[in-house]
Amino acid sequence: MNKFEIPNQKLIEMYEKMLEIRYFEQRVYYLFLEGLIPGTIHLYTGQEAVAVGVCSSLRKDDFIVSTHRPHGHYIAKGGPIKELMAELLGKKAGCCKGKGGSMHVCCFDAGIPPAIAIVGANVPIAAGMALAFKMNGTDRVVACFFGDGAVNQGMWHEGVNIAAVWKLPVIFICENNFYAASTHVTKVLPVKSIAERACAYGIPRVTVDGNDVLAVYREAYKAVERARQGKGPMLIECLTYRHGGHSRGDPATYRPKEEVEEWLKKDPIPRFKNKLIEMGVLTAKQTEEIEKNVQMKIEEAVKYAKESPFPEPEIALEDIYA
Ligand SMILES: Cc1ncc(C[n+]2csc(CCOP(=O)(O)OP(=O)(O)O)c2C)c(N)n1
Ligand SMILES: [Mg+2]
């Protein structure tokens, strides 16, 4: 235990998960440039503290509902990395048998139904899952991730409203990275913060430093416990930043250079690493070993994905509703 009252082992696992996401995304970027990934990709680099902070507050049998930027959520919730990598390469061993690609990754055993890339559409779906959990008499909860771009979608308002009215066990996580593609949040938000939107639905809200994994964890933990007790949803706005462009080839020239530099200084991974060393949870040498092990794990996933066969064309007709 330490001053945060979180077991050291849990802190180390959180650090490992953040590194897994970072190295995974860095590797995916190069695989994409090599032409090995069909479709498009939206990388999560820079936002790792949100996914890991939230998912560390969940149980295995809780669900998350992800977005078009899902790799970090999937890894943080405990989805197998090899199957994720294989999916991105369109391989049969992928989590959707190579038929879903980057934006639909899933692992039901780990509480990850397929990610939903239609901005805002995952909010009513999260409410529906939470309703099912409640009707089945369980205390399972749903964590619903979305970006700043989602909060102006009609579906977002309908989903939050019904969750609030019926006190559904869902926590709404806004990853405010200040941009929806190239549109800055201030161009489309008439209120001071996204968290304020919660007032319209009578649910509690909080804005948190989304690059501080422990701050995110603490707020998520409280919201999850509240939801488990049947007290209804909460909105957590996490202020963060994506290090790269919106998707594949976006050079993100719409962002001022100084702004990017400021946020790179707040990179959640070195911040957490330094904190763990300061607290005596890990030595610098131990962090190097963890980094090496995580890198090896990602390389194994790349090897596995590259060596896996492509699916047979006939399976395009399986797993469909007709
Ligand atoms: C309803 C809908 N409109 C447009 C798109 C195209 N699109 C995909 S991601 C995106 C921006 C989303 O921004 P935000 O919600 O802030 O998430 P971020 O990309 O920053 O993680 C857009 C416009 C979409 N997928 N769905
Ligand atoms: Mg955004």
Side-chain angles (χ1 to χ4, degrees), residues 61-302:
D61 67 338
D62 292 326
F63 269 22
I64 60 165
V65 190
S66 184
T67 66
H68 59 283
R69 201 179 293 288
H71 312 162
H73 305 147
Y74 173 103
I75 293 173
K77 186 66 173 61
I81 290 184
K82 283 183 174 171
E83 291 177 19
L84 176 62
M85 193 64 94
E87 186 59 37
L88 297 196
L89 269 64
K91 299 300 183 76
K92 193 175 170 179
C95 53
C96 300
K97 302 181 194 169
K99 297 193 284 184
S102 167
M103 286 187 275
H104 303 292
V105 294
C106 69
C107 174
F108 278 98
D109 288 342
I112 313 164
I116 294 160
I118 305 299
V119 173
N122 64 346
V123 177
I125 290 172
M129 288 175 181
L131 176 61
F133 286 168
K134 187 173 173 162
M135 289 174 73
N136 285 331
T138 73
D139 69 346
R140 295 162 75 185
V141 307
V142 181
C144 178
F145 292 97
F146 48 83
D148 43 286
V151 304
N152 298 318
Q153 291 289 100
M155 296 169 283
W156 187 90
H157 292 270
E158 294 173 37
V160 174
N161 185 57
I162 203 73
V165 168
W166 288 346
K167 290 202 185 314
L168 300 178
V170 48
I171 63 169
F172 295 112
I173 315 296
C174 179
E175 299 193 61
N176 183 359
N177 60 12
F178 299 91
Y179 291 89
S182 57
T183 303
H184 195 269
V185 64
T186 51
K187 285 192 183 152
V188 289
L189 196 78
V191 284
K192 282 214 188 72
S193 79
I194 287 173
E196 272 182 59
R197 285 273 159 90
C199 303
Y201 303 104
I203 62 171
R205 67 191 194 273
V206 68
T207 300
V208 67
D209 177 353
N211 281 17
D212 177 347
V213 67
L214 296 181
V216 175
Y217 172 75
R218 272 193 288 268
E219 293 304 334
Y221 189 86
K222 282 187 264 176
V224 166
E225 288 311 298
R226 215 181 150 271
R228 273 201 218 293
Q229 290 161 14
K231 294 181 182 163
M234 174 162 178
L235 173 60
I236 302 176
E237 176 189 19
C238 302
L239 303 179
T240 185
Y241 206 73
R242 59 169 149 77
H243 286 181
H246 169 66
S247 63
R248 44 182 176 186
D250 173 18
T253 45
Y254 43 85
R255 306 194 301 191
K257 213 171 125 231
E258 305 72 43
E259 179 186 283
V260 178
E261 281 166 7
E262 267 316 297
W263 276 97
L264 286 177
K265 284 188 212 152
K266 295 188 263 188
D267 187 331
I269 294 185
R271 264 175 83 181
F272 191 40
K273 171 173 155 174
N274 291 339
K275 198 175 256 181
L276 292 177
I277 293 172
E278 252 170 56
M279 285 161 52
V281 174
L282 285 172
T283 62
K285 194 165 175 339
Q286 282 170 321
T287 62
E288 280 167 27
E289 272 161 29
I290 291 174
E291 283 160 22
K292 226 177 0 183
N293 289 341
V294 172
Q295 242 148 11
M296 265 161 46
K297 189 171 175 179
I298 302 299
E299 283 315 311
E300 277 166 24
V302 174

Side-chain angles (χ1 to χ4, degrees), residues 22-41:
R22 176 67 55 95
Y23 291 157
F24 181 91
E25 295 293 59
Q26 286 175 345
R27 200 63 180 84
V28 162
Y29 179 70
Y30 285 104
L31 291 169
F32 186 82
L33 293 181
E34 282 177 59
L36 295 175
I37 298 182
T40 191
I41 45 164

